[in-house]
Amino acid sequence: NVGVMYYLRYGYLSAEYTRGVAVAGGFGGTTDTQTVAATLALTRLVRNMVFFVTPSYNNSQSISNRQANQVDIEAYAVSLGVTYQVTRYFNVFAGYDFLHQRTGGGSTLQVNADQNRVKVGLQFGYPISFN
């Protein structure tokens, strides 16, 4: 896992690369998974408001061809969001997520999925000190 963050005048830009052995969600089987993601967060454009965009790419492939279920999945995702701090302990947020997932020819189970998700909500929080 490696990441880098660069601070900008109005926020920050970060990038991350992850590679590891994992289970491929509902597809099953042990996979070699690679993920590349970046985030642009604008934290100082408007007072008490944070805007962000996070594109990502994920690739999962079976480690062994002896597995009962072969996995070959490629997924692209983009998240957009905004959070507004109303008071010290209360935020309002909204966001949109898009996921484009395709299985490759090597997959035992062929599933192609596109998802659009919209989220709106309220967030309450109170800091607790552990001294």
Side-chain angles (χ1 to χ4, degrees):
N1 193 13
V2 65
V4 63
M5 181 178 284
Y6 181 72
Y7 289 96
L8 306 166
R9 182 176 178 186
Y10 292 107
Y12 66 87
L13 178 64
S14 68
E16 180 179 351
Y17 171 77
T18 303
R19 183 170 187 175
V21 175
V23 177
F27 291 94
T30 306
T31 61
D32 177 14
T33 302
Q34 297 183 67
T35 303
V36 177
T39 299
L40 172 62
L42 302 174
T43 58
R44 297 183 189 153
L45 203 57
V46 177
R47 184 181 169 104
N48 295 334
M49 192 172 285
V50 176
F51 299 94
F52 70 88
V53 59
T54 303
S56 65
Y57 168 78
N58 186 307
N59 183 324
S60 294
Q61 301 214 348
S62 291
I63 289 180
S64 170
N65 58 5
R66 295 181 190 169
Q67 291 177 195
N69 293 323
Q70 292 297 301
V71 178
D72 181 8
I73 301 170
E74 222 175 39
Y76 300 90
V78 176
S79 295
L80 304 168
V82 62
T83 300
Y84 180 72
Q85 185 176 11
V86 179
T87 67
R88 184 174 178 188
Y89 306 119
F90 176 65
N91 292 335
V92 177
F93 66 89
Y96 169 76
D97 297 325
F98 172 73
L99 173 69
H100 176 81
Q101 177 179 287
R102 298 290 181 256
T103 52
S107 283
T108 307
L109 181 62
Q110 294 292 314
V111 177
N112 295 330
D114 289 339
Q115 296 179 6
N116 292 289
R117 297 179 182 175
V118 175
K119 53 192 166 196
V120 177
L122 307 173
Q123 182 179 26
F124 299 94
Y126 185 80
I128 299 173
S129 297
F130 294 102
N131 293 336

